[in-house]
CSV table of all heavy atoms in Angstrom, one decimal:
chain,number,residue,atom,x,y,z
A,1,PRO,N,-4.2,-3.8,13.1
A,1,PRO,CA,-3.6,-4.5,14.2
A,1,PRO,C,-3.3,-6.0,13.9
A,1,PRO,O,-2.4,-6.6,14.5
A,1,PRO,CB,-4.6,-4.3,15.3
A,1,PRO,CG,-5.3,-3.1,14.9
A,1,PRO,CD,-5.4,-3.1,13.4
A,2,LEU,N,-4.2,-6.6,13.2
A,2,LEU,CA,-4.1,-8.1,12.9
A,2,LEU,C,-3.1,-8.4,11.9
A,2,LEU,O,-2.5,-9.5,12.0
A,2,LEU,CB,-5.5,-8.7,12.5
A,2,LEU,CG,-6.5,-8.7,13.6
A,2,LEU,CD1,-7.8,-9.3,13.1
A,2,LEU,CD2,-6.1,-9.4,14.9
A,3,VAL,N,-2.8,-7.5,10.9
A,3,VAL,CA,-1.9,-7.8,9.8
A,3,VAL,C,-0.5,-7.3,10.2
A,3,VAL,O,0.5,-7.7,9.7
A,3,VAL,CB,-2.4,-7.2,8.5
A,3,VAL,CG1,-1.5,-7.4,7.4
A,3,VAL,CG2,-3.8,-7.7,8.2
A,4,TRP,N,-0.4,-6.3,11.1
A,4,TRP,CA,0.8,-5.7,11.4
A,4,TRP,C,1.9,-6.6,11.9
A,4,TRP,O,3.1,-6.5,11.4
A,4,TRP,CB,0.6,-4.6,12.5
A,4,TRP,CG,1.7,-3.7,12.9
A,4,TRP,CD1,2.4,-3.7,14.0
A,4,TRP,CD2,2.4,-2.8,12.0
A,4,TRP,NE1,3.5,-2.8,13.9
A,4,TRP,CE2,3.5,-2.2,12.7
A,4,TRP,CE3,2.2,-2.4,10.7
A,4,TRP,CZ2,4.3,-1.3,12.1
A,4,TRP,CZ3,3.0,-1.4,10.1
A,4,TRP,CH2,4.1,-0.9,10.8
A,5,PRO,N,1.7,-7.6,12.8
A,5,PRO,CA,2.9,-8.5,13.1
A,5,PRO,C,3.4,-9.3,11.9
A,5,PRO,O,4.6,-9.4,11.8
A,5,PRO,CB,2.2,-9.4,14.2
A,5,PRO,CG,1.1,-8.7,14.7
A,5,PRO,CD,0.6,-7.9,13.6
A,6,LEU,N,2.5,-9.7,11.1
A,6,LEU,CA,3.0,-10.5,9.9
A,6,LEU,C,3.7,-9.5,8.9
A,6,LEU,O,4.7,-9.9,8.3
A,6,LEU,CB,1.8,-11.1,9.2
A,6,LEU,CG,2.1,-12.1,8.1
A,6,LEU,CD1,2.8,-13.3,8.7
A,6,LEU,CD2,0.8,-12.6,7.4
A,7,LEU,N,3.3,-8.3,8.8
A,7,LEU,CA,3.9,-7.3,8.0
A,7,LEU,C,5.3,-7.0,8.5
A,7,LEU,O,6.2,-6.8,7.7
A,7,LEU,CB,3.1,-6.0,7.9
A,7,LEU,CG,3.3,-5.1,6.7
A,7,LEU,CD1,3.0,-5.8,5.4
A,7,LEU,CD2,2.5,-3.9,6.8
A,8,LEU,N,5.5,-6.9,9.8
A,8,LEU,CA,6.8,-6.7,10.3
A,8,LEU,C,7.8,-7.8,10.1
A,8,LEU,O,9.0,-7.5,9.9
A,8,LEU,CB,6.6,-6.5,11.9
A,8,LEU,CG,6.0,-5.2,12.3
A,8,LEU,CD1,5.9,-5.1,13.8
A,8,LEU,CD2,6.7,-4.0,11.8
A,9,ILE,N,7.3,-9.0,10.0
A,9,ILE,CA,8.2,-10.1,9.6
A,9,ILE,C,8.7,-10.0,8.2
A,9,ILE,O,9.8,-10.2,7.9
A,9,ILE,CB,7.5,-11.5,9.8
A,9,ILE,CG1,7.2,-11.7,11.3
A,9,ILE,CG2,8.3,-12.7,9.3
A,9,ILE,CD1,6.4,-12.9,11.6
A,10,ALA,N,7.8,-9.6,7.3
A,10,ALA,CA,8.2,-9.4,5.9
A,10,ALA,C,9.2,-8.2,5.8
A,10,ALA,O,10.1,-8.3,5.0
A,10,ALA,CB,6.9,-9.0,5.1
A,11,VAL,N,9.0,-7.1,6.6
A,11,VAL,CA,9.9,-6.1,6.6
A,11,VAL,C,11.3,-6.6,7.1
A,11,VAL,O,12.3,-6.1,6.6
A,11,VAL,CB,9.4,-4.9,7.5
A,11,VAL,CG1,10.5,-3.9,7.8
A,11,VAL,CG2,8.2,-4.3,6.9
A,12,LEU,N,11.3,-7.4,8.0
A,12,LEU,CA,12.6,-8.0,8.5
A,12,LEU,C,13.4,-8.7,7.4
A,12,LEU,O,14.5,-8.5,7.2
A,12,LEU,CB,12.4,-8.9,9.7
A,12,LEU,CG,13.6,-9.7,10.2
A,12,LEU,CD1,14.6,-8.7,10.7
A,12,LEU,CD2,13.2,-10.7,11.3
A,13,PHE,N,12.7,-9.5,6.7
A,13,PHE,CA,13.3,-10.3,5.6
A,13,PHE,C,13.8,-9.3,4.5
A,13,PHE,O,14.9,-9.5,4.0
A,13,PHE,CB,12.3,-11.3,5.0
A,13,PHE,CG,12.1,-12.5,5.9
A,13,PHE,CD1,10.8,-13.0,6.1
A,13,PHE,CD2,13.1,-13.2,6.4
A,13,PHE,CE1,10.6,-14.1,7.0
A,13,PHE,CE2,12.9,-14.3,7.2
A,13,PHE,CZ,11.6,-14.7,7.5
A,14,ARG,N,13.0,-8.4,4.2
A,14,ARG,CA,13.4,-7.4,3.1
A,14,ARG,C,14.5,-6.5,3.5
A,14,ARG,O,15.4,-6.2,2.7
A,14,ARG,CB,12.2,-6.6,2.7
A,14,ARG,CG,11.3,-7.2,1.8
A,14,ARG,CD,11.9,-7.8,0.5
A,14,ARG,NE,12.7,-6.7,-0.2
A,14,ARG,CZ,13.9,-7.0,-0.7
A,14,ARG,NH1,14.4,-8.1,-0.6
A,14,ARG,NH2,14.5,-6.0,-1.3
A,15,ALA,N,14.6,-6.2,4.8
A,15,ALA,CA,15.7,-5.3,5.3
A,15,ALA,C,17.0,-6.1,5.2
A,15,ALA,O,18.1,-5.5,4.9
A,15,ALA,CB,15.4,-4.9,6.7
A,16,ILE,N,16.9,-7.4,5.6
A,16,ILE,CA,18.2,-8.2,5.5
A,16,ILE,C,18.7,-8.4,4.1
A,16,ILE,O,19.9,-8.2,3.8
A,16,ILE,CB,18.0,-9.6,6.2
A,16,ILE,CG1,17.7,-9.4,7.7
A,16,ILE,CG2,19.1,-10.5,6.0
A,16,ILE,CD1,17.3,-10.7,8.4
A,17,GLU,N,17.7,-8.6,3.1
A,17,GLU,CA,18.1,-8.8,1.8
A,17,GLU,C,18.6,-7.4,1.2
A,17,GLU,O,19.6,-7.4,0.4
A,17,GLU,CB,16.9,-9.2,1.0
A,17,GLU,CG,16.5,-10.7,1.2
A,17,GLU,CD,17.6,-11.7,0.8
A,17,GLU,OE1,18.2,-11.4,-0.3
A,17,GLU,OE2,17.7,-12.7,1.4
A,18,ALA,N,18.0,-6.3,1.5
A,18,ALA,CA,18.5,-5.0,1.0
A,18,ALA,C,19.8,-4.6,1.6
A,18,ALA,O,20.6,-4.0,0.9
A,18,ALA,CB,17.4,-3.9,1.4
A,19,PHE,N,20.1,-5.0,2.8
A,19,PHE,CA,21.4,-4.7,3.5
A,19,PHE,C,22.5,-5.3,2.7
A,19,PHE,O,23.7,-4.7,2.6
A,19,PHE,CB,21.3,-5.2,4.9
A,19,PHE,CG,22.6,-4.8,5.7
A,19,PHE,CD1,22.9,-3.6,6.1
A,19,PHE,CD2,23.5,-5.9,6.0
A,19,PHE,CE1,24.1,-3.3,6.7
A,19,PHE,CE2,24.7,-5.6,6.6
A,19,PHE,CZ,25.0,-4.3,7.1
A,20,ARG,N,22.3,-6.5,2.2
A,20,ARG,CA,23.4,-7.2,1.5
A,20,ARG,C,23.2,-7.1,-0.1
A,20,ARG,O,23.7,-8.0,-0.8
A,20,ARG,CB,23.6,-8.6,1.9
A,20,ARG,CG,22.3,-9.5,1.7
A,20,ARG,CD,22.5,-10.8,2.5
A,20,ARG,NE,21.4,-11.7,2.2
A,20,ARG,CZ,21.3,-12.6,1.2
A,20,ARG,NH1,22.4,-12.7,0.4
A,20,ARG,NH2,20.3,-13.4,1.0
A,21,LEU,N,22.7,-6.0,-0.5
A,21,LEU,CA,22.5,-5.8,-2.0
A,21,LEU,C,23.8,-5.8,-2.7
A,21,LEU,O,24.7,-5.1,-2.4
A,21,LEU,CB,21.7,-4.6,-2.2
A,21,LEU,CG,21.5,-4.2,-3.7
A,21,LEU,CD1,20.4,-5.1,-4.3
A,21,LEU,CD2,21.1,-2.7,-3.8
A,22,PHE,N,23.9,-6.5,-3.8
A,22,PHE,CA,25.1,-6.5,-4.6
A,22,PHE,C,24.7,-6.5,-6.1
A,22,PHE,O,25.3,-5.7,-6.9
A,22,PHE,CB,26.0,-7.7,-4.3
A,22,PHE,CG,27.1,-7.9,-5.3
A,22,PHE,CD1,28.2,-7.0,-5.2
A,22,PHE,CD2,27.1,-8.8,-6.3
A,22,PHE,CE1,29.3,-7.2,-6.0
A,22,PHE,CE2,28.1,-8.9,-7.2
A,22,PHE,CZ,29.2,-8.1,-7.0
A,23,ASP,N,23.8,-7.4,-6.5
A,23,ASP,CA,23.7,-7.7,-8.0
A,23,ASP,C,23.1,-6.5,-8.7
A,23,ASP,O,23.7,-6.2,-9.8
A,23,ASP,CB,22.7,-8.9,-8.2
A,23,ASP,CG,21.7,-9.0,-7.2
A,23,ASP,OD1,21.2,-7.9,-6.6
A,23,ASP,OD2,21.2,-10.1,-6.8
A,24,LEU,N,22.2,-5.8,-8.2
A,24,LEU,CA,21.6,-4.6,-8.9
A,24,LEU,C,22.6,-3.5,-9.0
A,24,LEU,O,22.7,-2.8,-10.0
A,24,LEU,CB,20.4,-4.1,-8.2
A,24,LEU,CG,19.1,-4.9,-8.3
A,24,LEU,CD1,17.9,-4.3,-7.6
A,24,LEU,CD2,18.7,-5.1,-9.8
């Protein structure tokens, strides 16, 4: 419960980066 909010922020950043994937 204490780490989950911070983990969700990391998921948000990664989802945005993965959505605009091009180089790989």
Side-chain angles (χ1 to χ4, degrees):
L2 293 179
V3 180
W4 185 246
L6 194 61
L7 200 62
L8 289 178
I9 296 177
V11 169
L12 174 63
F13 287 131
R14 280 305 308 139
I16 294 174
E17 289 294 326
F19 180 75
R20 58 190 188 91
L21 175 76
F22 171 78
D23 35 31
L24 285 182

